[in-house]
Amino acid sequence: ENPALYALRQLFLPLIAEAPDAVVICNTAGHIILVNAQVEHWFGYAPPELHGQPLTMLLPARFRSASLGQWAHSLVTLRGPIGLAHPLAGRRKSGQEFPLEMSLSPLLLEDELFVVSILRDTVARAQENDGSPSTKKRRKTTSISSGKW
């Protein structure tokens, strides 16, 4: 196995495994190398189904061509995290769509460039930020159980 891919799996899989957002790590061609459990939960694809597929398969067709152009441009100019500001939608395996935000960050590992994509379900985030007592209680419980104040 390529040393960079080995390092990626050994170092980053444990870090992203339990992240609350969907995390997809791609190569510079935009093909999926590694995903966390949230990707399977949100999109309905098992990790082996995604491996080697383009990141854009998680987007509806209307966003795919524009996103590919933006992907290429981002890789040429990438100097830090990039948020894709235009409204995006995710597309589940079932075909159902949901609104999401995507940010891209470069990751240089063993002299090989990868792109980390963090996907956020904007509906779920709006519900978490609604300020209701149950939301505040859930946030406090999460903070205490994770050891973070």
Side-chain angles (χ1 to χ4, degrees):
E1 183 176 38
N2 174 327
L5 292 177
Y6 178 79
L8 184 69
R9 285 187 178 87
Q10 295 302 309
L11 297 172
F12 288 92
L13 189 56
L15 292 173
I16 67 170
E18 299 300 322
D21 294 323
V23 181
V24 180
I25 300 178
C26 299
N27 61 20
T28 55
H31 295 121
I32 298 171
I33 295 172
L34 191 64
V35 299
N36 70 350
Q38 287 293 21
V39 174
E40 184 172 7
H41 176 72
W42 289 1
F43 292 93
Y45 291 100
E49 293 178 275
L50 294 171
H51 185 77
Q53 297 297 318
L55 173 66
T56 55
M57 79 175 282
L58 300 176
L59 305 176
R62 69 182 179 277
F63 292 116
R64 289 181 187 166
S65 63
S67 296
L68 282 174
Q70 192 162 16
W71 177 273
H73 175 73
S74 296
L75 286 177
V76 171
T77 60
L78 207 53
R79 288 188 172 76
I82 294 177
L84 302 181
H86 64 279
L88 285 176
R91 184 177 182 277
R92 293 185 171 94
K93 187 176 181 178
S94 67
Q96 180 188 18
E97 294 183 15
F98 63 99
L100 65 79
E101 294 174 349
M102 179 188 296
S103 61
L104 305 173
S105 296
L107 173 63
L108 187 61
L109 190 60
E110 300 284 331
D111 295 324
E112 193 166 334
L113 181 64
F114 298 95
V115 177
V116 179
S117 304
I118 299 175
L119 309 166
R120 291 183 183 94
D121 180 335
T122 57
V123 172
R125 190 170 81 179
Q127 290 170 346
E128 288 177 3
N129 292 329
D130 70 1
S132 68
S134 63
T135 300
K136 289 177 183 176
K137 182 178 179 181
R138 189 170 57 244
R139 262 194 237 126
K140 184 176 182 181
T141 302
T142 300
S143 296
I144 291 170
S145 66
S146 65
K148 296 178 184 173
W149 298 90

mmCIF file of all heavy atoms in Angstrom, residues 113-148:
data_model
loop_
_atom_site.group_PDB
_atom_site.id
_atom_site.type_symbol
_atom_site.label_atom_id
_atom_site.label_comp_id
_atom_site.label_asym_id
_atom_site.label_seq_id
_atom_site.Cartn_x
_atom_site.Cartn_y
_atom_site.Cartn_z
ATOM 1 N N LEU A 113 -0.885 15.103 -1.678
ATOM 2 C CA LEU A 113 -1.976 16.008 -1.343
ATOM 3 C C LEU A 113 -3.314 15.267 -1.343
ATOM 4 O O LEU A 113 -3.618 14.530 -2.284
ATOM 5 C CB LEU A 113 -2.035 17.175 -2.336
ATOM 6 C CG LEU A 113 -3.117 18.220 -2.100
ATOM 7 C CD1 LEU A 113 -2.899 18.948 -0.773
ATOM 8 C CD2 LEU A 113 -3.142 19.222 -3.248
ATOM 9 N N PHE A 114 -4.069 15.464 -0.291
ATOM 10 C CA PHE A 114 -5.429 14.960 -0.183
ATOM 11 C C PHE A 114 -6.336 16.148 0.094
ATOM 12 O O PHE A 114 -5.875 17.215 0.497
ATOM 13 C CB PHE A 114 -5.551 13.949 0.967
ATOM 14 C CG PHE A 114 -4.713 12.725 0.789
ATOM 15 C CD1 PHE A 114 -3.451 12.659 1.365
ATOM 16 C CD2 PHE A 114 -5.169 11.648 0.048
ATOM 17 C CE1 PHE A 114 -2.666 11.537 1.204
ATOM 18 C CE2 PHE A 114 -4.384 10.521 -0.118
ATOM 19 C CZ PHE A 114 -3.132 10.461 0.465
ATOM 20 N N VAL A 115 -7.622 15.966 -0.099
ATOM 21 C CA VAL A 115 -8.585 17.010 0.210
ATOM 22 C C VAL A 115 -9.598 16.443 1.190
ATOM 23 O O VAL A 115 -10.201 15.389 0.949
ATOM 24 C CB VAL A 115 -9.293 17.525 -1.059
ATOM 25 C CG1 VAL A 115 -10.341 18.568 -0.705
ATOM 26 C CG2 VAL A 115 -8.273 18.110 -2.023
ATOM 27 N N VAL A 116 -9.748 17.139 2.305
ATOM 28 C CA VAL A 116 -10.707 16.748 3.325
ATOM 29 C C VAL A 116 -11.976 17.561 3.090
ATOM 30 O O VAL A 116 -11.938 18.790 3.075
ATOM 31 C CB VAL A 116 -10.159 17.018 4.745
ATOM 32 C CG1 VAL A 116 -11.192 16.632 5.795
ATOM 33 C CG2 VAL A 116 -8.847 16.283 4.961
ATOM 34 N N SER A 117 -13.080 16.870 2.899
ATOM 35 C CA SER A 117 -14.377 17.513 2.704
ATOM 36 C C SER A 117 -15.218 17.271 3.947
ATOM 37 O O SER A 117 -15.414 16.125 4.346
ATOM 38 C CB SER A 117 -15.097 16.915 1.496
ATOM 39 O OG SER A 117 -14.306 17.017 0.351
ATOM 40 N N ILE A 118 -15.682 18.353 4.528
ATOM 41 C CA ILE A 118 -16.571 18.248 5.679
ATOM 42 C C ILE A 118 -17.947 18.691 5.219
ATOM 43 O O ILE A 118 -18.117 19.789 4.681
ATOM 44 C CB ILE A 118 -16.072 19.096 6.863
ATOM 45 C CG1 ILE A 118 -14.698 18.581 7.293
ATOM 46 C CG2 ILE A 118 -17.073 19.056 8.011
ATOM 47 C CD1 ILE A 118 -14.035 19.380 8.366
ATOM 48 N N LEU A 119 -18.908 17.802 5.399
ATOM 49 C CA LEU A 119 -20.275 18.040 4.941
ATOM 50 C C LEU A 119 -21.163 18.205 6.164
ATOM 51 O O LEU A 119 -21.118 17.392 7.086
ATOM 52 C CB LEU A 119 -20.766 16.862 4.096
ATOM 53 C CG LEU A 119 -19.826 16.449 2.957
ATOM 54 C CD1 LEU A 119 -20.203 15.097 2.410
ATOM 55 C CD2 LEU A 119 -19.841 17.490 1.870
ATOM 56 N N ARG A 120 -21.970 19.264 6.145
ATOM 57 C CA ARG A 120 -22.875 19.540 7.267
ATOM 58 C C ARG A 120 -24.308 19.591 6.768
ATOM 59 O O ARG A 120 -24.608 20.328 5.827
ATOM 60 C CB ARG A 120 -22.528 20.874 7.915
ATOM 61 C CG ARG A 120 -21.214 20.836 8.629
ATOM 62 C CD ARG A 120 -20.892 22.143 9.338
ATOM 63 N NE ARG A 120 -19.576 22.025 9.921
ATOM 64 C CZ ARG A 120 -18.463 22.440 9.299
ATOM 65 N NH1 ARG A 120 -18.521 22.997 8.120
ATOM 66 N NH2 ARG A 120 -17.296 22.284 9.894
ATOM 67 N N ASP A 121 -25.155 18.838 7.418
ATOM 68 C CA ASP A 121 -26.590 18.856 7.126
ATOM 69 C C ASP A 121 -27.136 20.145 7.736
ATOM 70 O O ASP A 121 -27.167 20.288 8.960
ATOM 71 C CB ASP A 121 -27.228 17.611 7.740
ATOM 72 C CG ASP A 121 -28.729 17.526 7.507
ATOM 73 O OD1 ASP A 121 -29.383 18.569 7.312
ATOM 74 O OD2 ASP A 121 -29.251 16.402 7.548
ATOM 75 N N THR A 122 -27.554 21.084 6.920
ATOM 76 C CA THR A 122 -27.974 22.392 7.434
ATOM 77 C C THR A 122 -29.304 22.324 8.177
ATOM 78 O O THR A 122 -29.542 23.137 9.063
ATOM 79 C CB THR A 122 -28.042 23.446 6.312
ATOM 80 O OG1 THR A 122 -28.932 22.984 5.293
ATOM 81 C CG2 THR A 122 -26.674 23.697 5.722
ATOM 82 N N VAL A 123 -30.157 21.374 7.862
ATOM 83 C CA VAL A 123 -31.421 21.229 8.588
ATOM 84 C C VAL A 123 -31.130 20.757 10.005
ATOM 85 O O VAL A 123 -31.654 21.306 10.971
ATOM 86 C CB VAL A 123 -32.379 20.257 7.865
ATOM 87 C CG1 VAL A 123 -33.598 19.951 8.719
ATOM 88 C CG2 VAL A 123 -32.786 20.826 6.523
ATOM 89 N N ALA A 124 -30.281 19.751 10.138
ATOM 90 C CA ALA A 124 -29.924 19.242 11.469
ATOM 91 C C ALA A 124 -29.244 20.328 12.292
ATOM 92 O O ALA A 124 -29.514 20.471 13.489
ATOM 93 C CB ALA A 124 -29.008 18.025 11.341
ATOM 94 N N ARG A 125 -28.373 21.125 11.649
ATOM 95 C CA ARG A 125 -27.690 22.183 12.385
ATOM 96 C C ARG A 125 -28.674 23.253 12.843
ATOM 97 O O ARG A 125 -28.583 23.755 13.962
ATOM 98 C CB ARG A 125 -26.586 22.815 11.536
ATOM 99 C CG ARG A 125 -25.716 23.737 12.376
ATOM 100 C CD ARG A 125 -24.510 24.186 11.649
ATOM 101 N NE ARG A 125 -24.880 25.280 10.771
ATOM 102 C CZ ARG A 125 -24.036 25.920 9.991
ATOM 103 N NH1 ARG A 125 -22.784 25.561 9.945
ATOM 104 N NH2 ARG A 125 -24.436 26.904 9.246
ATOM 105 N N ALA A 126 -29.650 23.592 12.011
ATOM 106 C CA ALA A 126 -30.654 24.587 12.395
ATOM 107 C C ALA A 126 -31.461 24.087 13.587
ATOM 108 O O ALA A 126 -31.762 24.842 14.505
ATOM 109 C CB ALA A 126 -31.570 24.887 11.210
ATOM 110 N N GLN A 127 -31.782 22.788 13.599
ATOM 111 C CA GLN A 127 -32.521 22.221 14.727
ATOM 112 C C GLN A 127 -31.673 22.251 15.997
ATOM 113 O O GLN A 127 -32.186 22.508 17.075
ATOM 114 C CB GLN A 127 -32.952 20.791 14.408
ATOM 115 C CG GLN A 127 -34.028 20.731 13.349
ATOM 116 C CD GLN A 127 -34.300 19.316 12.855
ATOM 117 O OE1 GLN A 127 -33.534 18.398 13.104
ATOM 118 N NE2 GLN A 127 -35.401 19.167 12.142
ATOM 119 N N GLU A 128 -30.375 22.006 15.875
ATOM 120 C CA GLU A 128 -29.494 22.049 17.045
ATOM 121 C C GLU A 128 -29.346 23.456 17.595
ATOM 122 O O GLU A 128 -29.132 23.648 18.775
ATOM 123 C CB GLU A 128 -28.107 21.500 16.697
ATOM 124 C CG GLU A 128 -28.095 20.011 16.498
ATOM 125 C CD GLU A 128 -26.734 19.494 16.083
ATOM 126 O OE1 GLU A 128 -25.784 20.290 15.998
ATOM 127 O OE2 GLU A 128 -26.626 18.296 15.829
ATOM 128 N N ASN A 129 -29.458 24.451 16.735
ATOM 129 C CA ASN A 129 -29.257 25.836 17.146
ATOM 130 C C ASN A 129 -30.564 26.560 17.428
ATOM 131 O O ASN A 129 -30.571 27.775 17.561
ATOM 132 C CB ASN A 129 -28.478 26.596 16.066
ATOM 133 C CG ASN A 129 -27.052 26.107 15.965
ATOM 134 O OD1 ASN A 129 -26.467 25.673 16.946
ATOM 135 N ND2 ASN A 129 -26.500 26.151 14.771
ATOM 136 N N ASP A 130 -31.663 25.832 17.537
ATOM 137 C CA ASP A 130 -32.949 26.505 17.705
ATOM 138 C C ASP A 130 -33.159 27.098 19.090
ATOM 139 O O ASP A 130 -34.080 27.855 19.310
ATOM 140 C CB ASP A 130 -34.106 25.574 17.328
ATOM 141 C CG ASP A 130 -34.314 24.421 18.310
ATOM 142 O OD1 ASP A 130 -33.573 24.335 19.309
ATOM 143 O OD2 ASP A 130 -35.222 23.613 18.065
ATOM 144 N N GLY A 131 -32.285 26.745 20.051
ATOM 145 C CA GLY A 131 -32.364 27.348 21.375
ATOM 146 C C GLY A 131 -33.395 26.726 22.287
ATOM 147 O O GLY A 131 -33.635 27.217 23.376
ATOM 148 N N SER A 132 -34.040 25.653 21.864
ATOM 149 C CA SER A 132 -35.057 25.034 22.713
ATOM 150 C C SER A 132 -34.404 24.378 23.929
ATOM 151 O O SER A 132 -33.238 24.014 23.898
ATOM 152 C CB SER A 132 -35.850 23.995 21.909
ATOM 153 O OG SER A 132 -35.015 22.899 21.595
ATOM 154 N N PRO A 133 -35.153 24.215 25.019
ATOM 155 C CA PRO A 133 -34.588 23.591 26.228
ATOM 156 C C PRO A 133 -34.011 22.197 25.950
ATOM 157 O O PRO A 133 -32.984 21.843 26.480
ATOM 158 C CB PRO A 133 -35.775 23.513 27.188
ATOM 159 C CG PRO A 133 -36.690 24.609 26.747
ATOM 160 C CD PRO A 133 -36.523 24.683 25.245
ATOM 161 N N SER A 134 -34.698 21.397 25.107
ATOM 162 C CA SER A 134 -34.183 20.052 24.829
ATOM 163 C C SER A 134 -32.855 20.122 24.089
ATOM 164 O O SER A 134 -31.969 19.307 24.315
ATOM 165 C CB SER A 134 -35.197 19.234 24.020
ATOM 166 O OG SER A 134 -35.413 19.828 22.758
ATOM 167 N N THR A 135 -32.703 21.111 23.213
ATOM 168 C CA THR A 135 -31.442 21.284 22.486
ATOM 169 C C THR A 135 -30.339 21.688 23.448
ATOM 170 O O THR A 135 -29.243 21.159 23.397
ATOM 171 C CB THR A 135 -31.596 22.352 21.379
ATOM 172 O OG1 THR A 135 -32.608 21.931 20.489
ATOM 173 C CG2 THR A 135 -30.294 22.548 20.630
ATOM 174 N N LYS A 136 -30.638 22.638 24.344
ATOM 175 C CA LYS A 136 -29.631 23.081 25.312
ATOM 176 C C LYS A 136 -29.216 21.924 26.221
ATOM 177 O O LYS A 136 -28.044 21.757 26.512
ATOM 178 C CB LYS A 136 -30.185 24.252 26.140
ATOM 179 C CG LYS A 136 -30.313 25.524 25.335
ATOM 180 C CD LYS A 136 -30.916 26.625 26.163
ATOM 181 C CE LYS A 136 -31.111 27.861 25.323
ATOM 182 N NZ LYS A 136 -31.780 28.927 26.063
ATOM 183 N N LYS A 137 -30.194 21.120 26.652
ATOM 184 C CA LYS A 137 -29.891 19.978 27.511
ATOM 185 C C LYS A 137 -29.006 18.982 26.757
ATOM 186 O O LYS A 137 -28.048 18.466 27.298
ATOM 187 C CB LYS A 137 -31.182 19.310 27.970
ATOM 188 C CG LYS A 137 -30.948 18.141 28.898
ATOM 189 C CD LYS A 137 -32.263 17.546 29.354
ATOM 190 C CE LYS A 137 -32.011 16.351 30.260
ATOM 191 N NZ LYS A 137 -33.261 15.748 30.690
ATOM 192 N N ARG A 138 -29.337 18.707 25.486
ATOM 193 C CA ARG A 138 -28.560 17.768 24.678
ATOM 194 C C ARG A 138 -27.137 18.272 24.514
ATOM 195 O O ARG A 138 -26.184 17.518 24.639
ATOM 196 C CB ARG A 138 -29.246 17.568 23.322
ATOM 197 C CG ARG A 138 -28.645 16.465 22.500
ATOM 198 C CD ARG A 138 -29.477 16.120 21.262
ATOM 199 N NE ARG A 138 -29.697 17.248 20.396
ATOM 200 C CZ ARG A 138 -30.896 17.786 20.131
ATOM 201 N NH1 ARG A 138 -31.980 17.291 20.670
ATOM 202 N NH2 ARG A 138 -31.006 18.818 19.323
ATOM 203 N N ARG A 139 -26.962 19.592 24.249
ATOM 204 C CA ARG A 139 -25.619 20.156 24.097
ATOM 205 C C ARG A 139 -24.822 20.011 25.384
ATOM 206 O O ARG A 139 -23.664 19.652 25.376
ATOM 207 C CB ARG A 139 -25.703 21.635 23.711
ATOM 208 C CG ARG A 139 -25.552 21.859 22.247
ATOM 209 C CD ARG A 139 -25.304 23.318 21.946
ATOM 210 N NE ARG A 139 -26.336 23.745 21.033
ATOM 211 C CZ ARG A 139 -27.139 24.777 21.206
ATOM 212 N NH1 ARG A 139 -27.020 25.542 22.237
ATOM 213 N NH2 ARG A 139 -28.055 25.069 20.338
ATOM 214 N N LYS A 140 -25.464 20.307 26.552
ATOM 215 C CA LYS A 140 -24.786 20.215 27.835
ATOM 216 C C LYS A 140 -24.373 18.772 28.119
ATOM 217 O O LYS A 140 -23.256 18.503 28.531
ATOM 218 C CB LYS A 140 -25.696 20.732 28.952
ATOM 219 C CG LYS A 140 -25.025 20.758 30.296
ATOM 220 C CD LYS A 140 -25.929 21.372 31.331
ATOM 221 C CE LYS A 140 -25.226 21.440 32.672
ATOM 222 N NZ LYS A 140 -26.090 22.018 33.694
ATOM 223 N N THR A 141 -25.265 17.832 27.860
ATOM 224 C CA THR A 141 -24.967 16.410 28.069
ATOM 225 C C THR A 141 -23.801 15.986 27.197
ATOM 226 O O THR A 141 -22.881 15.317 27.652
ATOM 227 C CB THR A 141 -26.208 15.543 27.743
ATOM 228 O OG1 THR A 141 -27.268 15.970 28.565
ATOM 229 C CG2 THR A 141 -25.911 14.081 27.972
ATOM 230 N N THR A 142 -23.804 16.404 25.947
ATOM 231 C CA THR A 142 -22.715 16.061 25.035
ATOM 232 C C THR A 142 -21.412 16.647 25.530
ATOM 233 O O THR A 142 -20.388 15.978 25.534
ATOM 234 C CB THR A 142 -23.018 16.595 23.611
ATOM 235 O OG1 THR A 142 -24.232 16.000 23.179
ATOM 236 C CG2 THR A 142 -21.913 16.236 22.656
ATOM 237 N N SER A 143 -21.440 17.899 25.990
ATOM 238 C CA SER A 143 -20.221 18.533 26.469
ATOM 239 C C SER A 143 -19.665 17.833 27.696
ATOM 240 O O SER A 143 -18.470 17.595 27.799
ATOM 241 C CB SER A 143 -20.479 20.004 26.803
ATOM 242 O OG SER A 143 -20.838 20.702 25.658
ATOM 243 N N ILE A 144 -20.535 17.473 28.626
ATOM 244 C CA ILE A 144 -20.070 16.813 29.845
ATOM 245 C C ILE A 144 -19.550 15.422 29.532
ATOM 246 O O ILE A 144 -18.493 15.034 29.979
ATOM 247 C CB ILE A 144 -21.208 16.752 30.890
ATOM 248 C CG1 ILE A 144 -21.499 18.162 31.389
ATOM 249 C CG2 ILE A 144 -20.835 15.841 32.043
ATOM 250 C CD1 ILE A 144 -22.748 18.264 32.238
ATOM 251 N N SER A 145 -20.286 14.662 28.717
ATOM 252 C CA SER A 145 -19.866 13.299 28.426
ATOM 253 C C SER A 145 -18.586 13.258 27.619
ATOM 254 O O SER A 145 -17.822 12.306 27.693
ATOM 255 C CB SER A 145 -20.968 12.537 27.696
ATOM 256 O OG SER A 145 -21.178 13.089 26.422
ATOM 257 N N SER A 146 -18.320 14.294 26.833
ATOM 258 C CA SER A 146 -17.103 14.292 26.045
ATOM 259 C C SER A 146 -15.931 14.905 26.802
ATOM 260 O O SER A 146 -14.821 14.949 26.298
ATOM 261 C CB SER A 146 -17.315 15.075 24.744
ATOM 262 O OG SER A 146 -17.548 16.431 25.016
ATOM 263 N N GLY A 147 -16.199 15.403 28.023
ATOM 264 C CA GLY A 147 -15.135 15.991 28.823
ATOM 265 C C GLY A 147 -14.796 17.412 28.424
ATOM 266 O O GLY A 147 -13.809 17.968 28.847
ATOM 267 N N LYS A 148 -15.633 18.033 27.605
ATOM 268 C CA LYS A 148 -15.394 19.407 27.165
ATOM 269 C C LYS A 148 -16.415 20.322 27.804
ATOM 270 O O LYS A 148 -17.596 20.033 27.830
ATOM 271 C CB LYS A 148 -15.510 19.500 25.634
ATOM 272 C CG LYS A 148 -14.459 18.704 24.937
ATOM 273 C CD LYS A 148 -14.640 18.797 23.449
ATOM 274 C CE LYS A 148 -13.643 17.914 22.740
ATOM 275 N NZ LYS A 148 -13.896 17.850 21.325
#
